[in-house]
Amino acid sequence: MASGDDTTDDQRWLVVDGRRWRRTDPELPDDVTTRLRSHLGAARSAVRVAKKNGDDDAVAAARERVGAAKHGLGERGPRWWHDEVEARVSRARDALEQLDLLMPAKRADGAADVNA
């Protein structure tokens, strides 16, 4: 296997430095994947900040958000290629609803409201 980035022939996996990662479900609508990736990026950032601050509860909450986003994208959980497209899209939309509920409230200036 190559040491750089590569994809498998079936497009289900991405290989990076010899490690195989499940790819995002290619059948998900673009608006859904865009929102899920936005949630994923915000959650990963929250993990870094919480670790830096030594806040174990915040780390756990942020990791829950990372997991929800990755499940919605099809990168974790049931293998997307085993399910019908309709079920996969429904699962992704359910993940978005869950993530919207888990996101910290935003203040009018766009910053997270730590009191929410």
Side-chain angles (χ1 to χ4, degrees):
M1 216 166 267
S3 62
D5 294 355
D6 202 1
T7 57
T8 60
D9 289 337
D10 62 10
Q11 299 297 309
R12 294 177 181 168
W13 304 97
L14 174 69
V15 180
V16 179
D17 293 330
R19 187 167 179 189
R20 190 172 73 161
W21 300 90
R22 195 181 320 169
R23 295 177 64 91
T24 298
D25 182 346
E27 296 297 326
L28 297 178
D30 288 340
D31 65 315
V32 172
T33 57
T34 298
R35 287 183 58 209
L36 285 168
R37 285 187 179 121
S38 178
H39 276 290
L40 179 59
R44 285 177 168 161
S45 178
V47 169
R48 282 190 298 277
V49 169
K51 280 183 171 183
K52 181 180 176 185
N53 294 336
D55 186 342
D56 293 340
D57 290 337
V59 169
R63 284 186 174 155
E64 179 182 349
R65 291 171 38 214
V66 168
K70 291 187 83 57
H71 274 85
L73 289 165
E75 296 174 10
R76 288 189 186 156
R79 292 190 166 137
W80 49 261
W81 52 89
H82 292 293
D83 294 329
E84 297 294 324
V85 172
E86 184 177 308
R88 293 159 28 197
V89 171
S90 177
R91 188 167 42 239
R93 292 189 190 283
D94 289 347
L96 276 174
E97 287 180 26
Q98 177 188 4
L99 286 161
D100 286 342
L101 293 173
L102 293 173
M103 280 296 295
K106 297 280 184 180
R107 299 186 322 217
D109 63 4
D113 186 354
V114 295
N115 297 318

